[in-house]
Amino acid sequence: MLLKDKVSIITGGARGIGEAIALRLAEEGSDIAICDVDTDALSLAQKAIEAKGRSVLTEKVDVTNAEDVQKFVQKVLDKFSKIDILINNAGITRDGLLVRMNVADWDAVLDVNLKGTFNCTKAVARPMMKQRGGKIVNIASIIGLVGNAGQANYAASKGGVIAFTKSAAKELAARNVNVNAIAPGFIKTQMTDKLPEDVKSAIMKQIPLGKWGSADDVANVALFLVSDASTYITGQVVQVDGGMVT
């Protein structure tokens, strides 16, 4: 197993890409701590991870609240004594054209997607630096690379995550902590399933591979980035988009 006896935190880990990553890391031997705001989904995810034979800690956490995040990280340390891996996956959208976007929708997306990534990274940085090792993977988006009409707030947040990743990688490298990002393209999830068929068709025409990605496609890249196979990779953004952005 690639992650035997490792301890991983996955934010937004109860559904979608986050859950897929949690399950993939558990399959490779990692114990798992997941936080989310959906308590029902957390309970289901816990059962799925326990079925993989790994220890699990679940907690309802608002990643925009630094104190909540710090308390969760301390609970992980109390239970597992260390933190080897952090996946910053928690994220939301509040789409709308720029001229119609209200301040609340702008703030909500930046708070969860960017501030949440900062809060969680800061909370695990000291334990990882102290143990002189760790892997952090931030889930960004191709929208953070190229932008998208109607998603100014989301694009800004994910572009910020990419820039944050590169800066954090440089700061933490001396203590053997790798920080990378994944930029998914259009991934089949509950969120994208709700898109109108004409929108799905238009998106498909932009993807050279001619198909949507799966949450497992992202999880497999995350596994690589947190494994020993990627020890000389840091500050990078890996696109998982079927060739959509080149």
Side-chain angles (χ1 to χ4, degrees), residues 55-109:
S55 295
V56 188
L57 172 67
T58 63
E59 187 86 4
K60 181 178 180 180
V61 176
D62 176 2
V63 295
T64 71
N65 186 311
E67 185 176 350
D68 280 0
V69 169
Q70 189 60 58
K71 288 179 180 178
F72 173 60
V73 167
Q74 188 57 54
K75 286 184 178 180
V76 177
L77 290 171
D78 290 343
K79 181 177 178 64
F80 297 111
S81 300
K82 63 174 183 171
I83 298 168
D84 300 294
I85 294 161
L86 168 66
I87 309 290
N88 279 309
N89 171 73
I92 63 170
T93 58
R94 296 287 188 274
D95 295 349
L97 294 175
L98 175 61
V99 294
R100 297 175 184 170
M101 185 175 293
N102 59 52
V103 173
D105 286 343
W106 173 271
D107 287 347
V109 171

Side-chain angles (χ1 to χ4, degrees), residues 217-233:
D217 290 325
V218 181
N220 287 332
V221 175
L223 173 61
F224 167 70
L225 289 175
V226 302
S227 73
D228 289 342
S230 64
T231 55
Y232 201 56
I233 299 173

